[in-house]
Amino acid sequence: MAEYEVFDPVDPNDEFKEYSNDRKHRWRNIIILVIIIAVGAYLLTGVYQVGPSEVALVKTFGAYSSTTGPGIHLHLPYPFQSHVIVDVRTINKIEIGFRTTSSGRTTSYVFVEEEAEMITGDQNIISIEAIVQYRVSDPVDYAFNVIQGDDLVKLTSESVLREMVALLELEKVLTTERDKVAMETARRIQEIMNDYEAGIQIENVYLQDVTPPDPVVPAFDDVNNARQDQQTSINEAQRYANDVIPRAEGEAVKILNDAQAYAYEQISKATGEAERFRIMLEEYRKSEEITKNRLILDSIQKMLENSKIKVISEKGDTLNFINIAEVMGDD
Protein backbone atom coordinates (compact mmCIF):
# COMPACT_ATOMS: atom_id res chain seq x y z
CA MET A 1 0.00 0.00 0.00
CA ALA A 2 1.47 3.27 -1.00
CA GLU A 3 1.96 6.08 1.59
CA TYR A 4 1.28 9.66 0.71
CA GLU A 5 2.56 12.79 2.56
CA VAL A 6 -0.06 15.40 2.94
CA PHE A 7 1.34 18.89 2.31
CA ASP A 8 -0.42 21.70 4.22
CA PRO A 9 0.64 25.00 2.72
CA VAL A 10 1.12 27.98 5.18
CA ASP A 11 -1.03 30.93 4.53
CA PRO A 12 1.19 34.08 4.21
CA ASN A 13 -1.58 36.15 5.70
CA ASP A 14 -1.42 34.16 8.92
CA GLU A 15 2.32 34.75 9.26
CA PHE A 16 1.84 38.46 8.72
CA LYS A 17 -0.90 38.60 11.31
CA GLU A 18 1.25 36.76 13.85
CA TYR A 19 4.20 39.11 13.21
CA SER A 20 1.93 42.10 13.48
CA ASN A 21 0.51 40.88 16.77
CA ASP A 22 4.01 40.36 18.19
CA ARG A 23 5.01 43.88 17.23
CA LYS A 24 1.88 45.33 18.79
CA HIS A 25 2.54 43.39 21.98
CA ARG A 26 6.13 44.61 22.17
CA TRP A 27 5.14 48.23 21.53
CA ARG A 28 2.42 47.98 24.13
CA ASN A 29 4.97 46.78 26.69
CA ILE A 30 7.36 49.58 25.74
CA ILE A 31 4.62 52.17 26.05
CA ILE A 32 3.58 50.82 29.45
CA LEU A 33 7.21 50.91 30.61
CA VAL A 34 7.62 54.47 29.35
CA ILE A 35 4.43 55.49 31.12
CA ILE A 36 5.61 53.88 34.36
CA ILE A 37 8.96 55.65 34.09
CA ALA A 38 7.28 58.96 33.29
CA VAL A 39 4.87 58.61 36.21
CA GLY A 40 7.75 57.68 38.52
CA ALA A 41 9.81 60.63 37.35
CA TYR A 42 6.80 62.89 37.81
CA LEU A 43 6.25 61.63 41.35
CA LEU A 44 9.94 62.12 42.12
CA THR A 45 9.54 65.85 41.46
CA GLY A 46 8.00 65.95 44.93
CA VAL A 47 11.20 64.65 46.56
CA TYR A 48 13.70 67.31 47.64
CA GLN A 49 16.69 67.71 49.93
CA VAL A 50 17.43 70.65 52.25
CA GLY A 51 21.02 71.45 53.28
CA PRO A 52 22.25 72.05 56.87
CA SER A 53 22.15 75.85 56.55
CA GLU A 54 18.93 75.98 54.54
CA VAL A 55 15.17 75.81 54.89
CA ALA A 56 12.59 74.91 52.26
CA LEU A 57 9.39 76.86 51.73
CA VAL A 58 6.64 74.60 50.38
CA LYS A 59 4.08 76.23 48.08
CA THR A 60 0.66 74.77 47.32
CA PHE A 61 -0.70 76.03 44.00
CA GLY A 62 1.83 78.87 44.24
CA ALA A 63 0.91 80.01 47.77
CA TYR A 64 3.15 79.46 50.78
CA SER A 65 1.95 76.59 52.97
CA SER A 66 4.78 75.32 55.21
CA THR A 67 8.49 75.40 56.06
CA THR A 68 10.75 72.36 56.36
CA GLY A 69 14.24 72.08 57.81
CA PRO A 70 17.38 70.18 56.77
CA GLY A 71 16.94 66.64 55.42
CA ILE A 72 15.09 64.76 52.67
CA HIS A 73 11.40 65.59 52.29
CA LEU A 74 8.45 64.83 50.03
CA HIS A 75 5.56 66.94 48.79
CA LEU A 76 2.95 66.59 46.07
CA PRO A 77 4.35 66.82 42.53
CA TYR A 78 4.12 69.90 40.37
CA PRO A 79 1.80 71.75 39.77
CA PHE A 80 0.10 70.83 43.03
CA GLN A 81 3.07 71.72 45.19
CA SER A 82 6.58 73.12 44.74
CA HIS A 83 9.35 74.41 47.00
CA VAL A 84 11.94 77.18 47.30
CA ILE A 85 15.28 76.65 49.07
CA VAL A 86 16.58 79.59 51.16
CA ASP A 87 19.96 79.76 52.92
CA VAL A 88 19.37 81.30 56.37
CA ARG A 89 22.78 80.89 58.03
CA THR A 90 25.38 82.01 55.52
CA ILE A 91 26.68 85.56 55.96
CA ASN A 92 26.55 87.26 52.57
CA LYS A 93 29.01 90.01 51.65
CA ILE A 94 28.41 93.06 49.48
CA GLU A 95 31.39 95.11 48.25
CA ILE A 96 31.06 98.83 47.53
CA GLY A 97 33.82 100.72 45.75
CA PHE A 98 35.88 97.64 44.92
CA ARG A 99 35.61 94.02 43.80
CA THR A 100 37.60 91.02 44.95
CA THR A 101 39.07 89.35 41.87
CA SER A 102 40.97 86.54 43.59
CA SER A 103 41.33 85.23 47.12
CA GLY A 104 43.69 82.86 48.83
CA ARG A 105 47.25 83.48 49.92
CA THR A 106 47.21 86.74 48.00
CA THR A 107 43.97 88.64 47.56
CA SER A 108 43.52 90.91 44.56
CA TYR A 109 41.10 93.82 44.32
CA VAL A 110 39.79 96.02 41.56
CA PHE A 111 38.90 99.63 42.36
CA VAL A 112 35.40 100.70 41.21
CA GLU A 113 35.65 104.47 40.95
CA GLU A 114 32.01 105.27 40.23
CA GLU A 115 30.95 103.54 43.45
CA ALA A 116 33.81 104.66 45.69
CA GLU A 117 33.86 108.41 45.06
CA MET A 118 31.38 110.39 47.16
CA ILE A 119 30.79 114.06 48.01
CA THR A 120 31.08 115.27 51.61
CA GLY A 121 29.08 118.01 53.30
CA ASP A 122 31.80 120.61 52.58
CA GLN A 123 31.75 119.76 48.85
CA ASN A 124 34.93 117.66 48.83
CA ILE A 125 35.37 114.34 47.08
CA ILE A 126 36.25 111.33 49.18
CA SER A 127 36.93 107.73 48.21
CA ILE A 128 35.29 105.03 50.34
CA GLU A 129 35.54 101.26 50.04
CA ALA A 130 32.98 99.49 52.21
CA ILE A 131 31.78 95.99 53.01
CA VAL A 132 28.19 95.20 54.03
CA GLN A 133 27.43 91.83 55.61
CA TYR A 134 23.90 90.47 55.83
CA ARG A 135 21.96 87.25 56.29
CA VAL A 136 18.39 86.09 55.76
CA SER A 137 16.39 86.50 58.97
CA ASP A 138 12.89 85.74 57.63
CA PRO A 139 12.95 83.22 54.75
CA VAL A 140 9.27 83.71 53.90
CA ASP A 141 9.59 87.48 53.45
CA TYR A 142 12.89 87.05 51.62
CA ALA A 143 11.55 84.45 49.19
CA PHE A 144 8.26 86.17 48.37
CA ASN A 145 9.13 89.88 48.67
CA VAL A 146 12.66 90.03 47.25
CA ILE A 147 13.79 89.15 43.73
CA GLN A 148 17.56 89.69 44.07
CA GLY A 149 18.75 90.08 47.65
CA ASP A 150 22.32 91.07 46.76
CA ASP A 151 21.18 93.80 44.38
CA LEU A 152 18.69 95.17 46.90
CA VAL A 153 21.26 95.36 49.70
CA LYS A 154 23.97 96.78 47.43
CA LEU A 155 21.88 99.59 45.97
CA THR A 156 20.38 100.48 49.34
CA SER A 157 23.76 100.45 51.08
CA GLU A 158 25.40 102.65 48.47
CA SER A 159 22.55 105.16 48.62
CA VAL A 160 22.54 105.33 52.43
CA LEU A 161 26.33 105.61 52.62
CA ARG A 162 26.32 108.55 50.21
CA GLU A 163 23.61 110.17 52.31
CA MET A 164 25.62 109.77 55.53
CA VAL A 165 28.82 111.13 53.96
CA ALA A 166 26.97 114.14 52.53
CA LEU A 167 26.02 115.22 56.06
CA LEU A 168 29.61 115.48 57.35
CA GLU A 169 32.77 117.40 56.57
CA LEU A 170 35.71 115.70 54.90
CA GLU A 171 37.96 115.77 57.98
CA LYS A 172 35.31 114.22 60.23
CA VAL A 173 34.64 111.38 57.80
CA LEU A 174 38.37 110.69 57.62
CA THR A 175 38.97 110.83 61.38
CA THR A 176 36.56 111.21 64.30
CA GLU A 177 33.25 110.28 62.66
CA ARG A 178 34.40 107.29 60.63
CA ASP A 179 33.04 104.64 63.00
CA LYS A 180 29.85 106.62 63.51
CA VAL A 181 29.26 106.71 59.75
CA ALA A 182 29.54 102.91 59.60
CA MET A 183 27.15 102.38 62.54
CA GLU A 184 24.57 104.89 61.29
CA THR A 185 24.74 103.40 57.80
CA ALA A 186 24.03 99.92 59.17
CA ARG A 187 21.14 101.22 61.26
CA ARG A 188 19.57 103.10 58.35
CA ILE A 189 19.93 100.15 55.94
CA GLN A 190 18.21 97.91 58.48
CA GLU A 191 15.32 100.36 58.77
CA ILE A 192 14.84 100.31 55.00
CA MET A 193 14.99 96.50 54.89
CA ASN A 194 12.33 96.37 57.59
CA ASP A 195 10.15 98.81 55.64
CA TYR A 196 10.48 96.60 52.56
CA GLU A 197 9.70 93.48 54.64
CA ALA A 198 12.70 91.93 52.93
CA GLY A 199 13.52 89.43 55.68
CA ILE A 200 17.15 90.63 55.74
CA GLN A 201 19.29 91.27 58.83
CA ILE A 202 22.26 93.64 58.41
CA GLU A 203 25.13 92.21 60.45
CA ASN A 204 27.92 94.75 59.91
CA VAL A 205 29.08 97.66 57.79
CA TYR A 206 32.85 98.12 57.52
CA LEU A 207 34.53 101.17 56.00
CA GLN A 208 37.52 99.26 54.71
CA ASP A 209 39.36 102.19 53.16
CA VAL A 210 38.64 105.92 53.44
CA THR A 211 41.02 108.23 51.60
CA PRO A 212 40.98 111.92 50.66
CA PRO A 213 41.40 113.32 47.15
CA ASP A 214 44.97 113.24 45.79
CA PRO A 215 45.59 117.05 45.95
CA VAL A 216 45.01 117.16 49.72
CA VAL A 217 46.84 113.97 50.67
CA PRO A 218 50.02 115.81 51.91
CA ALA A 219 47.98 118.17 54.08
CA PHE A 220 45.95 115.29 55.41
CA ASP A 221 49.15 113.42 56.30
CA ASP A 222 50.36 116.48 58.22
CA VAL A 223 47.10 116.59 60.15
CA ASN A 224 47.38 112.90 60.96
CA ASN A 225 50.96 113.31 62.17
CA ALA A 226 49.93 116.22 64.38
CA ARG A 227 47.08 114.16 65.82
CA GLN A 228 49.45 111.28 66.52
CA ASP A 229 51.88 113.62 68.30
CA GLN A 230 49.00 115.01 70.32
CA GLN A 231 47.85 111.54 71.27
CA THR A 232 51.41 110.58 72.24
CA SER A 233 51.63 113.58 74.58
CA ILE A 234 48.26 112.71 76.08
CA ASN A 235 49.35 109.12 76.64
CA GLU A 236 52.59 110.21 78.32
CA ALA A 237 50.73 112.63 80.59
CA GLN A 238 48.24 109.92 81.46
CA ARG A 239 51.05 107.49 82.20
CA TYR A 240 52.70 110.05 84.53
CA ALA A 241 49.38 110.70 86.24
CA ASN A 242 48.82 106.98 86.67
CA ASP A 243 52.20 106.77 88.41
CA VAL A 244 52.01 109.86 90.64
CA ILE A 245 48.38 109.79 91.70
CA PRO A 246 48.41 106.26 93.20
CA ARG A 247 51.56 107.09 95.19
CA ALA A 248 50.05 110.32 96.48
CA GLU A 249 46.86 108.50 97.37
CA GLY A 250 48.92 105.86 99.19
CA GLU A 251 50.76 108.51 101.21
CA ALA A 252 47.47 110.18 102.07
CA VAL A 253 45.99 106.89 103.22
CA LYS A 254 49.08 106.20 105.36
CA ILE A 255 48.91 109.62 107.01
CA LEU A 256 45.21 109.18 107.64
CA ASN A 257 45.74 105.73 109.14
CA ASP A 258 48.54 107.03 111.38
CA ALA A 259 46.35 109.90 112.54
CA GLN A 260 43.48 107.54 113.24
CA ALA A 261 45.78 105.20 115.17
CA TYR A 262 47.18 108.09 117.24
CA ALA A 263 43.69 109.38 117.92
CA TYR A 264 42.56 105.92 118.98
CA GLU A 265 45.58 105.59 121.27
CA GLN A 266 44.96 108.96 122.92
CA ILE A 267 41.26 108.30 123.29
CA SER A 268 41.96 104.90 124.82
CA LYS A 269 44.49 106.40 127.21
CA ALA A 270 42.14 109.19 128.21
CA THR A 271 39.31 106.72 128.65
CA GLY A 272 41.51 104.55 130.87
CA GLU A 273 42.61 107.50 132.98
CA ALA A 274 39.03 108.64 133.34
CA GLU A 275 37.94 105.16 134.37
CA ARG A 276 40.82 104.95 136.88
CA PHE A 277 39.89 108.33 138.33
CA ARG A 278 36.25 107.28 138.56
CA ILE A 279 37.16 104.12 140.49
CA MET A 280 39.45 106.08 142.79
CA LEU A 281 36.72 108.62 143.37
CA GLU A 282 34.30 105.90 144.33
CA GLU A 283 36.85 104.43 146.78
CA TYR A 284 37.61 107.86 148.13
CA ARG A 285 33.96 108.50 148.83
CA LYS A 286 33.70 105.19 150.66
CA SER A 287 36.63 105.97 153.04
CA GLU A 288 38.04 109.39 152.46
CA GLU A 289 40.79 109.32 155.14
CA ILE A 290 42.23 105.96 154.16
CA THR A 291 42.17 106.78 150.47
CA LYS A 292 43.82 110.15 151.09
CA ASN A 293 46.65 108.55 153.05
CA ARG A 294 47.02 105.86 150.40
CA LEU A 295 47.34 108.44 147.65
CA ILE A 296 49.92 110.38 149.67
CA LEU A 297 51.97 107.26 150.27
CA ASP A 298 51.74 106.25 146.60
CA SER A 299 52.94 109.68 145.56
CA ILE A 300 55.85 109.60 148.01
CA GLN A 301 56.78 106.12 146.83
CA LYS A 302 56.88 107.21 143.19
CA MET A 303 59.01 110.23 144.09
CA LEU A 304 61.53 108.26 146.14
CA GLU A 305 61.38 104.96 144.28
CA ASN A 306 64.90 105.18 142.81
CA SER A 307 66.36 107.50 145.43
CA LYS A 308 68.88 106.72 148.16
CA ILE A 309 68.51 108.33 151.58
CA LYS A 310 71.51 109.21 153.66
CA VAL A 311 70.78 108.94 157.39
CA ILE A 312 73.21 110.31 160.00
CA SER A 313 72.91 108.76 163.41
CA GLU A 314 72.86 110.76 166.60
CA LYS A 315 76.44 109.77 167.31
CA GLY A 316 77.51 111.56 164.20
CA ASP A 317 80.16 109.17 162.99
CA THR A 318 78.36 106.36 161.28
CA LEU A 319 76.58 106.80 157.88
CA ASN A 320 74.00 104.22 156.95
CA PHE A 321 72.43 104.06 153.50
CA ILE A 322 68.92 102.83 153.71
CA ASN A 323 66.85 101.75 150.74
CA ILE A 324 63.52 103.44 151.18
CA ALA A 325 61.80 100.56 149.38
CA GLU A 326 63.03 98.14 152.04
CA VAL A 327 61.85 100.43 154.80
CA MET A 328 58.43 101.09 153.31
CA GLY A 329 58.04 97.65 151.83
CA ASP A 330 57.04 96.73 148.27
CA ASP A 331 53.34 96.42 147.54
Side-chain angles (χ1 to χ4, degrees):
M1 181 177 180
E3 294 181 357
Y4 298 95
E5 183 178 354
V6 179
F7 177 75
D8 186 11
V10 177
D11 189 354
N13 291 329
D14 293 339
E15 291 182 355
F16 178 77
K17 289 180 180 179
E18 184 178 354
Y19 174 75
S20 178
N21 290 333
D22 290 340
R23 288 192 60 187
K24 289 180 180 179
H25 183 70
R26 285 198 300 271
W27 276 108
R28 184 170 60 251
N29 292 338
I30 292 173
I31 292 173
I32 292 173
L33 180 61
V34 170
I35 292 174
I36 292 174
I37 293 174
V39 171
Y42 174 68
L43 293 176
L44 286 176
T45 59
V47 179
Y48 62 98
Q49 182 175 1
V50 183
S53 64
E54 301 171 335
V55 295
L57 308 179
V58 179
K59 298 186 292 183
T60 302
F61 295 109
Y64 167 75
S65 59
S66 63
T67 300
T68 57
I72 298 176
H73 304 276
L74 175 67
H75 60 60
L76 295 176
Y78 184 85
F80 303 102
Q81 286 186 323
S82 60
H83 66 275
V84 177
I85 302 293
V86 180
D87 191 333
V88 295
R89 293 186 181 178
T90 300
I91 301 297
N92 303 285
K93 182 178 74 171
I94 300 298
E95 298 172 338
I96 299 175
F98 73 101
R99 296 292 183 273
T100 302
T101 56
S102 64
S103 58
R105 290 187 176 180
T106 58
T107 304
S108 301
Y109 303 96
V110 174
F111 180 68
V112 183
E113 183 178 356
E114 60 272 16
E115 292 180 3
E117 291 188 349
M118 303 180 186
I119 299 178
T120 62
D122 52 359
Q123 301 302 310
N124 284 306
I125 297 176
I126 191 172
S127 177
I128 297 180
E129 296 178 7
I131 294 176
V132 180
Q133 294 180 331
Y134 77 93
R135 65 177 180 84
V136 177
S137 58
D138 189 325
V140 177
D141 285 345
Y142 183 81
F144 294 101
N145 296 339
V146 177
I147 298 177
Q148 289 291 336
D150 285 352
D151 291 343
L152 175 63
V153 174
K154 181 180 179 301
L155 294 175
T156 304
S157 300
E158 186 177 345
S159 175
V160 171
L161 185 57
R162 290 183 182 278
E163 179 183 348
M164 294 294 107
V165 171
L167 297 175
L168 298 171
E169 298 176 356
L170 172 65
E171 182 181 355
K172 291 183 178 180
V173 178
L174 292 171
T175 55
T176 58
E177 300 294 325
R178 177 170 175 169
D179 292 338
K180 183 178 179 181
V181 169
M183 290 187 294
E184 286 297 316
T185 299
R187 183 188 63 80
R188 180 58 182 150
I189 296 172
Q190 187 62 65
E191 289 180 353
I192 295 175
M193 293 297 107
N194 294 342
D195 292 340
Y196 289 162
E197 296 183 352
I200 290 175
Q201 175 67 41
I202 302 299
E203 295 294 329
N204 285 298
V205 173
Y206 298 104
L207 300 187
Q208 182 169 279
D209 190 21
V210 181
T211 56
D214 292 339
V216 299
V217 168
F220 178 71
D221 291 340
D222 292 339
V223 172
N224 274 342
N225 292 334
R227 289 184 183 277
Q228 291 176 1
D229 293 340
Q230 180 187 24
Q231 189 61 43
T232 300
S233 300
I234 293 174
N235 292 339
E236 291 178 354
Q238 187 64 45
R239 187 163 49 250
Y240 176 76
N242 291 338
D243 178 54
V244 172
I245 291 176
R247 283 193 295 168
E249 290 177 348
E251 291 293 332
V253 170
K254 182 178 180 300
I255 293 172
L256 180 61
N257 291 337
D258 292 343
Q260 290 176 344
Y262 178 76
Y264 179 76
E265 180 184 359
Q266 295 301 315
I267 291 172
S268 299
K269 186 183 294 185
T271 303
E273 291 293 332
E275 182 64 19
R276 177 173 170 275
F277 179 78
R278 186 186 64 79
I279 294 172
M280 291 176 60
L281 181 60
E282 290 179 356
E283 294 296 327
Y284 177 78
R285 287 174 177 173
K286 291 178 182 178
S287 54
E288 295 183 3
E289 192 64 30
I290 295 174
T291 304
K292 184 186 298 183
N293 293 335
R294 178 66 179 175
L295 291 174
I296 292 172
L297 292 175
D298 287 344
S299 298
I300 293 173
Q301 182 179 359
K302 288 181 180 179
M303 292 171 58
L304 303 177
E305 190 172 18
N306 297 321
S307 302
K308 291 183 179 181
I309 300 176
K310 183 186 293 185
V311 179
I312 302 174
S313 67
E314 294 180 355
K315 296 179 179 182
D317 296 332
T318 304
L319 298 177
N320 295 322
F321 296 94
I322 301 173
N323 189 341
I324 192 65
E326 294 177 356
V327 175
M328 300 183 67
D330 293 333
D331 292 335

